Amino acid sequence: MLSPVIALGAYFIGPGRLARATRSTAERGAGFAAGWWSGHGVHTDPVGTWAEAHRRWLDLGTLLLVALLAADGRSGAKPDRV
């Protein structure tokens, strides 16, 4: 389970045509949602500006976090029963 998660994540943050199309569709949806929320008085202010400037690192961090969680779920550790 871990290998496909890493492979898909790496592919979708890469320069491939399908990856770019998927990101473009997601960005249009996010832009629509941001416009809708903005029209209703909800703004991200400096947080949104920072997130946009660091998006590549946030994508990579999210991929690593998902991979870590998937690896932890495969560890086979069983909780102690009381």
Side-chain angles (χ1 to χ4, degrees):
M1 179 67 186
L2 182 58
S3 296
V5 168
I6 293 173
L8 280 173
Y11 177 76
F12 279 112
I13 64 172
R17 191 173 69 189
L18 177 62
R20 284 193 320 262
T22 303
R23 285 194 309 266
S24 176
T25 301
E27 286 174 8
R28 280 195 308 273
F32 172 79
W36 188 87
W37 283 105
S38 180
H40 288 81
V42 179
H43 304 284
T44 60
D45 295 328
V47 175
T49 304
W50 181 88
E52 180 64 28
H54 297 90
R55 191 175 80 198
R56 184 69 137 178
W57 289 106
L58 291 170
D59 289 346
L60 184 59
T62 302
L63 172 62
L64 291 174
L65 179 64
V66 169
L68 238 138
L69 291 174
D72 186 49
R74 291 177 39 108
S75 68
K78 305 261 190 252
D80 292 334
R81 294 187 180 172
V82 177

